[in-house]
Amino acid sequence: MNILSKGNRTMMDAEKRNANKPMKIKLTAGDIVFNILNYAFFTLFTLLCFFPFYYIFINTISSNDLVRRGLITFWPQQLTISNYVAMSDVNDLWGSLAITILRTIIGTALMVFGSALAGYLMTKQEMWHRKLWYRMLVITMYFNAGLIPTYLNLNMLGLTNTFLVYIIPAIVSPYNIILVKTYIESIPGEIEESAFIDGAGYWTIFYKIIWPLSKPILATIAIFGAVGHWNSFQDSLIYNANAPELYTLQHRLYVYLNSSSNLGAIMSSSTGGEIGSLAESLNTKVLQYTISMVTIIPIMLVYPFMQRYFESGIMLGAVKG
Amino acid sequence: MAIFANPSSKNSPVNFGNNKVVTETPKTMGEKISDIVFWFLRGLTVINVIMLFFPTFNPAKICEEISRNLSLFTCGVSYDSVTTNVGRALTRGWLPEEAFKLLSLSSIIIILACVVLAVGGCMSLGNVKLKKIGVIVSACGGIIEISGLFGLNNAKTLLENAEKPEKAGEIFLPDMFYAYLVIAIFVILLSVAIFFMLPKLTKVMKCEMEGKYKLFLMMLPFVALTFVFSYLPLYGWRYAFFDYKSGETLTMDKFVGFKWFTQLFQNAATKKDVLRVIKNTLAMSALGIGTSWLPMVFAIFLAEIKNTAFRRIVQTFTTIPNFISWVLVYAIALAIFSTDGFVNTFLTNNLGIPTDTNYLLSSDHMWIKMLAWGTWKGLGWSAIVYIASITGIDQQLYEAATVDGAGRFHKMWYITIPELIPTYMVLLLMSVANILSNGMDQYLVFSNAVNKNSIEVLDLYVYNLGIGNGLIPMSTVIGMVKSVISVILLFSANGISKLVRGQSIV
């Protein structure tokens, strides 16, 4: 916890403190120049981060003809949602979307449950050889056998080219387990004690006391885990290369981006007869943009909820037991 | 209740369970001996369960045409993989389908037997009553296993009586068949022996287990998963010592010792490749480390902005890129920098400078470009940890400094930065330890035929070599060397941290 020792107070506190502070007496010329430059820099960087998303978005909702001629630069023109409607004809996309949603839900649920239970168990000093299991878990954060042995291992277990490869290896997540463990250790032990004296077993204590009390941290790992699952692309690329029906959305997008010349073919093969009209209405660029938007939108939707968890989320990268 | 003497101890909020031993009757002689014999029984159980997953220990490989790469588990779970090589012979009726179905079914029975054995092994951690039930369960497991093996034997007989048995290649009972048989028989014998060693049950006795074992059994699934997915891959390191091509089977005559290791340093072409890749890796890591102070500066200057709403907006929008995947970053790069992307259309249509450069199809300044994308994606997010730290700094320090006549930059330099340096040092040491692992997503999505030479980092190289070109031994060797060096680096960084700050980072 060494990193955050000073950061426990929230932004809100700091803002209140700033508000109570007496106003600066006078701004010097230097202050004004500094402020202008400072605001200018941050405005610029914010625009840099925001504009690409905006640019892609306005291109997907503008008339395809204008997009093709490169006339949509700063604002949308001749609004249309035909691109999003046309997406329903790209069969592969919906399969990938379903796979990604499924893995996000199932994978996150199992990961959160696993982290909660394992985190709780790891606080139990009396467990048989607890230290050994704990070390076994922690070492895996810093050491792995490498990409190829991992692939061969999953292959040997028969997990390659299956949906399960997205779920099972991700259930045990040492980082999250340590995070939950640290959190549970901060819950007053007396609560657990009294439940134990009342005759509750480990399971009862776990889901009647520990689970509800550690909801804040579980929400954090859930939301970051879900984003991780949604964004994951490597496992699909490496382990499920020969099972296109199991490609995740990101992998599908990657395939589309790389085979932009073949996109017309993809469209026509998935739509059968009406090649002409679709190829007309959807050029490759717009198709890429639209699929990108479909991939980004869910992230944008959960983003406002995620912001609440940023403060605890940075611990994901910082806490070491 | 002496166990509760120190409830405030941070690491052990509650320490109960040891007091859950109900009957403290002294152990009989037989019980003491059975405790030792139990370890053999549990050992056999664990070995048996592990053997399920290794192709080397497959008792179901009863003919040549069943792939060597199948484990017993795969044979049971996937009927298709058993019959891949004999599909034609089956459809023509040369080989009886029943034989393979029976084989698959027998495999499932043996898997089931192993599950039963595992349950029995778990029960053996309880009290005398649980132990007694446990050995009965184990014995049953042994019997089920033998029946499964009997099924395998029948499958073999069916194959031998086939119309054209030669289509299945040589038909035999593998050594592992007998190994399983021996294990099953031993399990039954040990179980029976223990059953009679254990004292007689009294009527009042209940099934109970000590807390420490209960907790262990709850933890067991996680330990097993960790073992299977994080430690078992180490078994794959053996490929580094063989002349192995993807899809082949591994046999001892392909053993080549340290050939691949020496080739790494002696073969001119490989050496050149590896040196180039290492150069890229180190250069990009070094650039990353060289700019690792940027988030700190970002946070410090953001804190100078007093307008809360503006600061919120900046933070919101600069953090978004961290939550999109590298594939999407690449999609954005395409939208902005490709031939018909934003930059080109803007220059052509709005400024009247006709261009159609594809900025992504060039190998110039690749390291800097990758750094720029990394910064674009990560700067806002990395700054959050520093922003949190800055809000925690005591405001009185600043007030005192103001009274003493310190200007804005003085305060930054003498108050804010010293307060943030410990955090920075930890992150810096971590990134030094990760110098060889820059990940592969970013470089994979941005790589193409033109820029391949200057973008390929170690992780991507291993991927291209192993998955792309199927050079499994060589890529395993590189991965091994990388893993070992990374661990050494991590421990060095940790040692430095302990020495300098008195705190470990691991």
Side-chain angles (χ1 to χ4, degrees):
Chain A
M1 286 291 298
N2 39 24
I3 287 187
L4 290 173
S5 53
K6 293 221 171 60
N8 288 337
R9 272 172 281 173
T10 60
M11 299 274 287
M12 291 298 281
D13 291 339
E15 276 146 22
K16 271 181 210 146
R17 249 177 290 134
N18 286 342
N20 293 336
K21 253 171 47 177
M23 287 292 290
K24 284 262 166 62
I25 309 142
K26 207 166 124 193
L27 288 176
T28 64
D31 282 338
I32 293 170
V33 172
F34 176 86
N35 275 338
I36 291 173
L37 287 179
N38 209 10
Y39 273 91
F41 167 76
F42 281 108
T43 312
L44 203 69
F45 191 74
T46 306
L47 282 179
L48 209 61
C49 289
F50 170 69
F51 181 72
F53 298 103
Y54 172 74
Y55 178 74
I56 292 181
F57 181 64
I58 58 170
N59 271 283
T60 58
I61 56 164
S62 299
S63 146
N64 284 331
D65 186 45
L66 295 175
V67 174
R68 197 173 315 144
R69 280 155 51 200
L71 292 175
I72 306 297
T73 328
F74 292 112
W75 41 83
Q77 286 168 42
Q78 299 177 20
L79 296 185
T80 166
I81 56 159
S82 61
N83 292 323
Y84 290 92
V85 176
M87 277 297 100
S88 58
D89 291 329
V90 189
N91 289 334
D92 297 345
L93 187 72
W94 295 108
S96 295
L97 190 64
I99 290 285
T100 309
I101 291 173
L102 263 183
R103 77 168 283 181
T104 305
I105 294 171
I106 301 174
T108 310
L110 284 177
M111 186 274 288
V112 169
F113 178 76
S115 303
L117 182 57
Y120 165 64
L121 293 174
M122 278 291 135
T123 62
K124 291 268 148 287
Q125 303 295 314
E126 69 266 28
M127 181 195 292
W128 188 65
H129 283 299
R130 186 195 73 100
K131 276 211 171 114
L132 177 68
W133 315 128
Y134 187 60
R135 281 198 194 124
M136 190 174 159
L137 215 65
V138 171
I139 287 173
T140 60
M141 286 198 295
Y142 303 106
F143 181 80
N144 63 69
L147 183 112
I148 303 296
T150 307
Y151 168 76
L152 293 170
N153 181 47
L154 291 171
N155 203 17
M156 181 175 90
L157 297 172
L159 280 174
T160 45
N161 299 322
T162 63
F163 178 70
L164 290 177
V165 78
Y166 297 142
I167 309 288
I168 299 178
I171 292 177
V172 177
S173 151
Y175 259 134
N176 293 341
I177 290 174
I178 290 175
L179 218 58
V180 176
K181 171 180 172 280
T182 317
Y183 190 87
I184 293 175
E185 277 167 358
S186 73
I187 298 174
E190 288 81 358
I191 304 175
E192 228 182 297
E193 243 169 66
S194 56
F196 177 70
I197 291 167
D198 288 344
Y202 294 115
W203 280 110
T204 321
I205 292 179
F206 172 64
Y207 70 93
K208 287 261 167 73
I209 295 175
I210 299 297
W211 180 267
L213 282 180
S214 44
K215 271 200 179 138
I217 196 71
L218 297 182
T220 308
I221 61 171
I223 206 132
F224 281 84
V227 171
H229 268 292
W230 183 268
N231 279 341
S232 69
F233 144 74
Q234 230 187 56
D235 44 13
S236 171
L237 179 81
I238 298 172
Y239 309 132
N240 284 349
N242 297 326
E245 72 280 4
L246 290 173
Y247 282 7
T248 61
L249 196 55
Q250 309 286 342
H251 190 184
R252 181 67 59 194
L253 176 65
Y254 178 68
V255 172
Y256 284 165
L257 293 176
N258 268 349
S259 61
S260 43
S261 51
N262 301 329
L263 271 178
I266 292 168
M267 285 301 297
S268 56
S269 69
S270 60
T271 52
E274 327 144 44
I275 308 163
S277 64
L278 268 165
E280 192 67 44
S281 63
L282 259 185
N283 63 41
T284 37
K285 195 165 82 167
V286 182
L287 186 63
Q288 285 177 0
Y289 289 170
T290 316
I291 299 176
S292 303
M293 274 331 286
V294 170
T295 319
I296 294 174
I297 286 168
I299 297 276
M300 296 290 178
L301 289 182
V302 297
Y303 187 72
F305 302 101
M306 284 177 66
Q307 277 189 303
R308 288 172 48 199
Y309 299 105
F310 277 4
E311 295 247 328
S312 42
I314 37 175
M315 287 159 64
L316 281 171
V319 170
K320 306 280 141 47
Chain B
M1 296 281 266
I3 342 158
F4 292 145
N6 188 10
S8 61
S9 156
K10 207 178 176 242
N11 283 328
S12 54
V14 189
N15 195 353
F16 51 77
N18 279 335
N19 57 344
K20 236 196 159 177
V21 187
V22 181
T23 44
E24 272 299 331
T25 47
K27 285 187 175 178
T28 61
M29 192 60 195
E31 220 179 333
K32 276 179 191 161
I33 301 173
S34 77
D35 278 350
I36 302 165
V37 184
F38 255 127
W39 283 111
F40 288 101
L41 185 60
R42 289 173 198 143
L44 278 179
T45 307
V46 170
I47 291 171
N48 207 346
V49 170
I50 292 176
M51 277 164 76
L52 280 184
F53 298 100
F54 282 83
T56 330
F57 306 115
N58 186 1
K61 187 186 159 33
I62 51 170
C63 66
E64 251 177 305
E65 287 302 321
I66 292 176
S67 164
R68 259 174 203 273
N69 295 331
L70 293 181
S71 63
L72 184 64
F73 185 75
T74 330
C75 283
V77 176
S78 145
Y79 174 70
D80 290 340
S81 63
V82 180
T83 54
T84 33
N85 295 342
V86 290
R88 211 168 75 96
L90 282 181
T91 44
R92 295 277 174 93
W94 291 337
L95 294 173
E97 212 166 323
E98 294 77 47
F100 289 95
K101 281 194 176 142
L102 183 61
L103 183 132
S104 222
L105 184 72
S106 310
S107 305
I108 294 174
I109 290 174
I110 298 178
I111 294 167
L112 197 79
C114 285
V115 173
V116 173
L117 280 183
V119 171
C122 288
M123 290 171 90
S124 75
L125 292 170
N127 66 353
V128 174
K129 184 163 185 192
L130 260 183
K131 275 181 179 155
K132 272 216 158 169
I133 302 174
V135 287
I136 296 172
V137 172
S138 288
C140 290
I143 293 166
I144 298 174
E145 189 162 339
I146 289 180
S147 65
L149 291 168
F150 184 71
L152 285 182
N153 192 30
N154 275 2
K156 180 201 150 216
T157 326
L158 273 176
L159 266 188
E160 278 168 345
N161 299 333
E163 196 175 323
K164 288 187 178 179
E166 68 275 7
K167 289 288 168 195
E170 197 191 336
I171 299 169
F172 55 92
L173 278 181
D175 295 343
M176 279 309 136
F177 179 87
Y178 299 106
Y180 269 73
L181 200 63
V182 169
I183 289 180
I185 290 169
F186 258 97
V187 163
I188 295 172
L189 288 180
L190 287 177
S191 303
V192 172
I194 292 173
F195 186 81
F196 289 109
M197 271 182 227
L198 289 171
K200 281 226 167 69
L201 293 178
T202 49
K203 281 252 168 90
V204 287
M205 207 175 242
K206 279 190 209 150
C207 289
E208 259 156 9
M209 194 184 283
E210 279 183 70
K212 59 176 185 175
Y213 293 125
K214 258 191 210 162
L215 287 165
F216 166 66
L217 289 183
M218 284 162 88
M219 193 65 204
L220 192 59
F222 300 103
V223 173
L225 281 175
T226 315
F227 174 77
V228 168
F229 292 111
S230 298
Y231 289 90
L232 201 53
L234 289 175
Y235 180 59
W237 278 13
R238 73 192 189 284
Y239 288 98
F241 305 98
F242 287 86
D243 193 0
Y244 175 81
K245 285 192 188 65
S246 191
E248 281 180 2
T249 51
L250 207 59
T251 47
M252 268 323 275
D253 55 289
K254 285 179 188 148
F255 185 78
V256 291
F258 285 90
K259 178 187 155 195
W260 300 108
F261 288 85
T262 49
Q263 192 178 342
L264 194 61
F265 302 105
Q266 283 169 356
N267 184 312
T270 320
K271 206 166 116 184
K272 210 179 119 207
D273 255 4
V274 170
L275 280 180
R276 170 179 62 82
V277 168
I278 287 183
K279 204 173 93 186
N280 288 334
T281 309
L282 292 181
M284 291 199 224
S285 292
L287 281 174
I289 292 171
T291 54
S292 58
W293 46 271
L294 276 176
M296 187 163 72
V297 174
F298 185 92
I300 293 173
F301 279 85
L302 189 62
E304 289 297 321
I305 286 176
K306 299 297 175 223
N307 185 335
T308 322
F310 182 78
R311 214 166 54 199
R312 273 273 152 80
I313 292 173
V314 171
Q315 262 199 285
T316 304
F317 285 106
T318 53
T319 323
I320 288 181
N322 184 61
F323 294 99
I324 61 169
S325 67
W326 276 109
V327 182
L328 272 168
V329 176
Y330 181 61
I332 285 171
L334 275 178
I336 304 290
F337 292 111
S338 70
T339 320
D340 50 2
F342 169 75
V343 172
N344 281 313
T345 53
F346 181 70
L347 287 176
T348 313
N349 295 341
N350 298 46
L351 299 182
I353 313 166
T355 61
D356 59 346
T357 328
N358 191 340
Y359 297 95
L360 297 169
L361 274 182
S362 98
S363 62
D364 303 339
H365 318 297
M366 213 56 224
W367 298 343
I368 304 281
K369 283 182 196 162
M370 285 301 108
L371 175 73
W373 282 113
T375 309
W376 179 79
K377 192 173 188 291
L379 185 58
W381 174 250
S382 321
I384 285 188
V385 66
Y386 296 109
I387 293 172
S389 299
I390 289 176
T391 47
I393 297 176
D394 191 351
Q395 290 299 311
Q396 289 180 346
L397 286 174
Y398 292 105
E399 281 155 25
T402 316
V403 172
D404 287 348
R408 188 193 299 273
F409 293 104
H410 281 115
K411 280 187 270 184
M412 281 182 196
W413 188 254
Y414 291 109
I415 300 172
T416 319
I417 291 186
E419 291 274 347
L420 297 183
I421 283 292
T423 310
Y424 176 67
M425 288 311 288
V426 172
L427 296 178
L428 184 70
L429 280 173
M430 284 307 284
S431 53
V432 170
N434 284 328
I435 200 161
L436 289 181
S437 331
N438 349 38
M440 89 173 213
D441 283 15
Q442 176 184 6
Y443 308 98
L444 177 77
V445 293
F446 277 98
S447 72
N448 51 45
V450 182
N451 62 23
K452 193 180 166 221
N453 279 340
S454 47
I455 204 173
E456 213 171 24
V457 293
L458 216 50
D459 287 331
L460 181 58
Y461 183 64
V462 168
Y463 169 78
N464 285 339
L465 209 62
I467 308 283
N469 301 345
L471 295 175
I472 297 220
M474 198 54 174
S475 49
T476 309
V477 165
I478 296 173
M480 273 171 84
V481 174
K482 199 201 112 181
S483 292
V484 172
I485 294 180
S486 295
V487 167
I488 295 172
L489 278 174
L490 179 77
F491 281 105
S492 318
N494 195 35
I496 294 171
S497 171
K498 267 186 189 159
L499 213 65
V500 179
R501 303 172 52 241
Q503 261 178 340
S504 66
I505 52 171
V506 179

